[in-house]
Amino acid sequence: MKKIFLPFALFSMAACASDSEDFNTSNDASIIGKWYIEKVEVFKSKNQQTQTMTSTECKKKSTHEFKSTNMTSITFAPQGNNCIQTDVVTRNYTFNTANKKFWYEGEQDYPYYITQLTQTDMVMEDRLEDFDNDGINDVITRFFKRID
């Protein structure tokens, strides 16, 4: 589970570094709420290139609802000509606002970093997987949009 960020691990085929100065500490900016992933970028260390994957309309139905101590992800995937719900997962998490680290319960050694947070946008980055098999974990950046 340490290398999987819930159901969108398969979706995570992309990443680009973001500056922490993009982080908005406004009182109105919070991870609490319902989000979908607009796109994912993977910066591959082997060739120094970024692969970008944007969400299809079906993938945009997949939501990640952050509550004060847990997050519920509802995953949708295409099946034939339909878009069907494939999974629902709820996990406890911790978000440290001081260092902008996010991790799931029992996985403190595998953090995600919130590099941007506004009322409508959130960018989450991690270095937990080696997509290009060069022995160096690649940078995966997920761009979320708030639904509510």
Side-chain angles (χ1 to χ4, degrees):
M1 291 302 289
K2 68 182 179 184
K3 290 186 177 184
I4 298 176
F5 185 70
L6 289 179
F8 45 81
L10 294 176
F11 178 73
S12 299
M13 299 304 295
C16 167
S18 294
D19 291 330
S20 61
E21 64 193 37
D22 289 336
F23 195 85
N24 181 343
T25 56
S26 163
N27 290 338
D28 297 319
S30 171
I31 67 171
I32 305 299
K34 193 179 285 188
W35 304 80
Y36 73 90
I37 296 178
E38 183 175 46
K39 71 177 178 176
V40 177
E41 296 179 345
V42 175
F43 179 76
K44 296 181 179 178
S45 56
K46 186 174 188 175
N47 61 11
Q48 301 291 299
Q49 292 185 354
T50 301
Q51 179 182 1
T52 302
M53 199 157 127
T54 55
S55 291
T56 63
E57 289 306 311
C58 182
K59 283 288 187 183
K60 287 180 181 179
K61 290 183 179 183
S62 297
T63 61
H64 311 282
E65 185 172 5
F66 292 82
K67 297 175 185 139
S68 61
T69 60
N70 65 50
M71 179 179 106
T72 299
S73 293
I74 302 173
T75 307
F76 284 81
Q79 184 176 31
N81 291 329
N82 298 315
C83 182
I84 62 162
Q85 181 179 321
T86 58
D87 202 8
V88 177
V89 177
T90 299
R91 294 182 69 188
N92 291 334
Y93 74 87
T94 299
F95 176 53
N96 183 321
T97 55
N99 62 14
K100 301 168 189 75
K101 280 186 184 181
F102 169 95
W103 64 89
Y104 291 107
E105 183 175 60
E107 298 182 5
Q108 294 84 340
D109 294 337
Y110 307 101
Y112 301 87
Y113 297 88
I114 309 291
T115 58
Q116 180 183 21
L117 182 61
T118 68
Q119 291 179 351
T120 59
D121 298 285
M122 176 170 57
V123 178
M124 186 179 290
E125 184 177 289
D126 72 74
R127 292 172 179 84
L128 301 176
E129 296 185 62
D130 179 11
F131 285 101
D132 55 16
N133 297 314
D134 66 350
I136 300 170
N137 286 356
D138 300 308
V139 180
I140 299 97
T141 306
R142 294 169 185 86
F143 297 83
F144 292 82
K145 287 285 188 187
R146 185 182 299 275
I147 296 171
D148 59 358

